[in-house]
């Protein structure tokens, strides 16, 4: 130690003081973290000021970043798709003609169904009022399966609202701040959706496993469920509208002495690829 | 990148500018939340923020390291559905262990870096599982999560090794990255003797 150094410099280099300062700071930061955690648990996950601040600081850049990667991805996909596009075009033209005739038939069937439903006193249409949102971020850890949307309470988005895409069900709003919302995906281990198999109307609950696939549980043992069956939301529980596509059965497991069977379900919506989604504000007749 | 870089002592006691630290945090957070979410392998992705936290804890002076790690934890929490502050708490407990260990690590080599990443990933996973089970009563499937985290360990270690030269360059500047092995060890040893 230099004998000419001032007491202030000595303090800064004295290992005992440095060590004491380290532990003091560590204790303070741990206390702050603990306080934040307790506050978060007490407020049932509603975003606090610090959380909103972090999201607000990052979201403009994130939006730019996401748009950038999206446009690069889009450009690359566009280039790759150019190969063989002429053949594809011819195929699609034929398919459009086929589908056109099917649409006409279905329209007729729809009108007939509408008339019958009216006769039987059912609600004729299930209106869905939704707000479109862009995906601006994804989870940072391996514990949650979530996405961050650029819509929040200012746009009418509230906790527990269903989030859908054109392919089907994506998840539900877990947290909503002024202009952002965190969506708990149906693949998250905390998610469960009351569902039914489209072909046989067999009931079950699709739970997330925090991986690509989910699991449909509590299907009665005698219910007919096969690989390739489509699974829809049942509408029970009041969170998700009835009839939304949840996924497709890829494996059925029957337990020897169990009361139920299980099915592995691959969601129709690939959360990794989703860029836009609809938040369902209201639904029903 | 030469092996000399890997043989360099991580903690040189040399200060890194706040701007460099902020840029690193910012870039890593953006990469984690905007890019890595799209490229996960069977639902698993590397934990860039944890890798950066480990690096800061081994490389930066105490105050900068602790505050950076605290901020990294909060960012992680903001982009997650675990209670806000939980990851930050977990990172700080890892910090307490690593800072104590850093005093004993005179020279850090590639193996130590791998061990630190491996230990930090598993420890973080364990802390999160325990806290979610005990505090929140969340039915996190323990075996499934631990099995998954073994894969996360492999991914984190591989990425951490690949990122190490970049991190050293970005946080220390060009002059420090060319520093030879053991150049300022004498000062550190004096400090240890003094303690």
């Amino acid at each position: 130690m230099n004998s000419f150094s001032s007491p202030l410099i000595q303090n800064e280099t004295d290992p005992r003081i440095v060590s004491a300062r380290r532990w003091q700071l560590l204790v303070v930061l741990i206390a702050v973290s603990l306080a934040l955690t307790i506050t978060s648990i007490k407020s049932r996950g509603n975003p606090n000021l610090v959380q909103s601040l972090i999201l607000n600081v990052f979201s403009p850049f994130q939006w730019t970043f996401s748009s950038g990667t999206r446009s690069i991805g889009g450009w690359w996909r566009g280039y790759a798709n150019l190969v063989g596009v002429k053949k594809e075009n011819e195929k699609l033209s034929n398919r459009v003609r086929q589908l056109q005739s099917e649409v006409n038939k279905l329209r007729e069937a729809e009108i007939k169904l509408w008339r019958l439903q009216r006769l039987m006193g059912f609600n004729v249409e299930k209106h869905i009022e939704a707000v479109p949102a862009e995906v601006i971020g994804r989870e940072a850890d391996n514990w949650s399966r979530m996405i961050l949307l650029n819509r929040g309470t200012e746009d009418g988005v509230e906790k527990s609202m269903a989030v859908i895409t054109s392919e089907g069900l994506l998840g539900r709003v877990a947290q909503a701040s002024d202009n952002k919302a965190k969506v708990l995906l149906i693949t998250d281990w905390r998610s469960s959706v009351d569902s039914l198999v489209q072909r046989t109307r067999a009931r079950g609950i699709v739970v997330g496993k925090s991986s690509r696939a989910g699991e449909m549980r509590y299907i009665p043992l005698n219910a007919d469920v096969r690989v390739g069956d489509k699974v829809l939301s049942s509408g029970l529980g009041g969170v998700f509208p009835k009839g939304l596509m949840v996924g497709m059965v890829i494996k059925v497991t029957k337990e020897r002495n169990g009361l139920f069977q299980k099915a592995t379900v691959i969601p129709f919506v690939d959360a990794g690829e989703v860029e836009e989604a609809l938040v369902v504000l209201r639904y029903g007749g | 990148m030469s092996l000399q870089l890997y043989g360099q002592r991580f903690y040189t006691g040399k200060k890194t500018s706040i701007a460099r630290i902020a840029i690193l945090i910012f870039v890593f957070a953006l990469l984690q939340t905007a890019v890595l979410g799209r490229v996960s392998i069977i639902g698993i992705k590397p934990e860039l923020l944890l890798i950066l936290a480990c690096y800061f804890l081994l490389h930066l002076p105490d105050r900068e390291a602790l505050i950076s790690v605290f901020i990294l934890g909060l960012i992680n929490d903001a982009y997650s559905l675990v209670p806000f502050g939980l990851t930050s708490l977990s990172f700080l407990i890892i910090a307490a262990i690593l800072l104590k260990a850093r005093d004993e690590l005179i020279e850090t080599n590639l193996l130590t870096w791998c061990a630190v990443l491996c230990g930090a990933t598993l420890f973080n996973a364990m802390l999160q599982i325990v806290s979610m089970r005990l505090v929140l009563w969340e039915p996190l499937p323990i075996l499934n999560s631990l099995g998954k985290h073994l894969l996360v360990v492999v991914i984190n270690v591989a990425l951490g090794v690949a990122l190490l030269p970049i991190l050293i360059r970005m946080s220390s500047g060009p002059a420090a990255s060319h520093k030879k092995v053991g150049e300022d060890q004498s000062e550190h040893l004096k400090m240890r003797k003094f303690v």
Side-chain angles (χ1 to χ4, degrees), chain A residues 45-201:
Chain A
N46 287 327
N48 59 28
L49 199 69
V50 188
Q51 199 171 354
S52 300
L53 185 78
I54 292 172
L55 292 176
N56 285 334
V57 166
F58 277 94
S59 58
F61 300 96
Q62 223 164 9
W63 186 83
T64 318
F65 218 72
S66 296
S67 308
T69 48
R70 203 178 295 165
S71 49
I72 291 167
W75 176 82
W76 175 250
R77 273 195 295 274
Y79 175 75
N81 287 343
L82 272 176
V83 184
V85 80
K86 200 179 170 186
K87 278 185 182 176
E88 190 75 15
N89 205 7
E90 281 171 15
K91 267 189 197 171
L92 287 173
S93 299
N94 290 332
R95 186 90 182 116
V96 165
R97 272 181 230 119
Q98 276 178 8
L99 289 173
Q100 194 64 51
S101 66
E102 274 179 41
V103 164
N104 290 336
K105 280 180 199 167
L106 286 172
R107 255 187 211 145
E108 283 301 309
E110 192 188 22
I111 293 166
K112 196 176 170 183
L113 181 70
W114 181 79
R115 280 201 311 266
L116 288 170
Q117 275 182 330
R118 227 174 110 179
L119 277 172
M120 291 172 77
F122 285 126
N123 283 331
V124 177
E125 277 182 61
K126 296 274 182 193
H127 290 289
I128 286 183
E129 193 185 326
V131 59
E134 274 186 49
V135 178
I136 55 167
R138 288 181 164 82
E139 76 279 340
D141 60 11
N142 280 303
W143 302 103
S144 320
R145 290 286 170 266
M146 60 145 270
I147 52 169
L148 188 70
L149 300 180
N150 66 343
R151 300 280 186 175
T153 48
E154 284 173 358
D155 308 286
V157 175
E158 285 170 20
K159 198 175 171 179
S160 294
M161 283 179 168
V163 181
I164 59 175
T165 69
S166 55
E167 286 93 32
L169 188 59
L170 185 63
R172 68 181 157 89
V173 176
Q175 281 176 20
S177 60
D178 293 348
N179 48 12
K180 268 159 226 70
K182 285 184 187 178
V183 177
L184 180 83
L185 300 177
I186 55 169
T187 46
D188 188 285
W189 56 275
R190 283 162 285 202
S191 165
S192 54
V193 184
D194 198 284
S195 313
L196 47 89
V197 176
Q198 189 181 38
R199 188 174 56 83
T200 58
R201 319 309 280 179

Side-chain angles (χ1 to χ4, degrees), chain A residues 1 13-16 18-19 21-23 25-26 29-34 36-38 40-41 48 50-51 54-55 57-59 61-62 65-66 69-70 77 136-146 148 174-175 182-185 188-190 209-212 272-275, chain B residues 25-26 29-35 37-38 42-47 49 62-63 66-67 70-71 74-89 92-93 95-96 99-100 102-103 124-125 128-129 132 135-136 138-141 144-145 148-149 152 191 194-195:
Chain A
M1 193 69 63
T13 51
D14 187 337
R16 282 170 299 189
V18 168
S19 178
R21 276 184 188 166
R22 169 200 290 179
W23 297 115
L25 181 61
L26 193 64
L29 291 176
I30 285 178
V32 174
S33 295
L34 210 57
L36 285 170
T37 310
I38 292 166
S40 176
I41 293 167
N48 59 28
V50 188
Q51 199 171 354
I54 292 172
L55 292 176
V57 166
F58 277 94
S59 58
F61 300 96
Q62 223 164 9
F65 218 72
S66 296
T69 48
R70 203 178 295 165
R77 273 195 295 274
I136 55 167
R138 288 181 164 82
E139 76 279 340
D141 60 11
N142 280 303
W143 302 103
S144 320
R145 290 286 170 266
M146 60 145 270
L148 188 70
Q175 281 176 20
K182 285 184 187 178
V183 177
L184 180 83
L185 300 177
D188 188 285
W189 56 275
R190 283 162 285 202
K209 290 178 81 185
S210 288
S211 59
R212 176 79 181 85
E273 294 295 321
V274 172
E275 288 162 8
Chain B
I25 293 176
F26 193 76
L30 275 183
L31 283 172
Q32 180 78 63
T33 57
V35 180
R38 288 164 172 267
I42 55 162
I44 293 169
K45 55 180 168 294
E47 293 167 335
L49 299 183
D62 293 351
R63 195 178 56 182
L66 285 172
I67 293 171
F70 175 66
I71 293 169
L74 290 185
I75 293 171
N76 204 95
D77 284 329
Y79 286 93
S80 159
L81 288 170
V82 297
F84 188 72
L86 191 69
T87 314
S88 148
L89 190 65
L92 285 170
I93 295 171
L99 286 181
K100 188 77 188 152
R102 186 176 77 177
D103 296 342
N124 185 42
Q128 300 256 4
I129 290 170
M132 276 197 257
V135 183
L136 299 174
E138 296 268 26
L140 184 71
N144 179 28
S145 307
K148 199 183 266 185
H149 264 77
V152 180
M191 292 270 278
F194 186 81
V195 175

